[in-house]
Amino acid sequence: MIISWGKPTIKVTAIANTGATGGGTFPTPVEDSSELTTEKGDKMEAKIEGGENEAVKYKAGKYSFVCKIRFGKGRKMPIAGTDGVVPGEWTLKLEAEEEGAPGFTMNRCACSYEDNWTSADGGIRTYTFDSIKPETGNQLDWDGEDDTAHGGGS
């Protein structure tokens, strides 16, 4: 089995006419800092007398991707903003280190960042990308896989 762990390649593209500028391929992130998380959608329950559910429905989940990029002499950060606020909308693509392993694409997302410094790590910018529902399709698509394995079904 080919697993998509290890050193990812992260590519971010500005979505036209949204005010986003910059992007491109990110420098290699700080070790173990790249992470996709899911916030499960709210659960709606139709209760009947006795407390049982007559029906259950979930709202759509939300996705966030976080990675940390170290400041270094001569290194330009791939996305700039003002005090952590980044204008516009983005598409983020993560390619796995192992060729053929699945990566993913966040089709439409907002970006923000935080800057930190410690004597152990120096300056680090933490980028956060939060999914936004695109006009069509999913917020997150897995590459190189049958999407039904990931809850889709296109």
Side-chain angles (χ1 to χ4, degrees):
M1 177 185 311
I2 299 174
I3 298 176
S4 62
W5 55 13
K7 179 177 152 184
T9 299
I10 300 164
K11 297 178 180 179
V12 179
T13 306
I15 296 177
N17 302 319
T18 66
T21 58
T25 301
F26 272 42
T28 301
V30 172
E31 185 173 24
D32 297 332
S33 72
S34 302
E35 182 176 14
L36 174 69
T37 58
T38 304
E39 181 183 328
K40 189 172 185 173
D42 292 337
K43 181 179 180 181
M44 299 169 33
E45 300 175 308
K47 300 274 187 188
I48 57 174
E49 288 295 336
E52 296 91 0
N53 285 331
E54 186 171 46
V56 174
K57 178 180 179 178
Y58 288 90
K59 293 184 179 181
K62 301 173 194 167
Y63 301 94
S64 290
F65 178 76
V66 174
C67 67
K68 296 179 180 183
I69 305 299
R70 187 172 278 112
F71 285 98
K73 184 175 181 177
R75 174 176 285 166
K76 182 180 177 199
M77 288 294 155
I79 297 177
T82 303
D83 295 327
V85 177
V86 177
E89 295 178 1
W90 306 85
T91 297
L92 181 141
K93 181 170 180 56
L94 181 135
E95 296 173 352
E97 178 180 16
E98 184 73 33
E99 188 173 333
F104 60 83
T105 302
M106 291 178 70
N107 295 300
R108 183 178 170 216
C109 47
C111 178
S112 63
Y113 66 83
E114 296 128 32
D115 291 336
N116 294 291
W117 184 93
T118 67
S119 58
D121 289 319
I124 291 179
R125 178 164 287 175
T126 302
Y127 284 100
T128 301
F129 294 87
D130 293 302
S131 65
I132 301 172
K133 177 71 176 156
E135 289 184 32
T136 61
N138 295 316
Q139 297 173 70
L140 180 85
D141 285 320
W142 288 92
D143 306 320
E145 289 287 313
D146 175 3
D147 197 38
T148 57
H150 302 286
S154 25

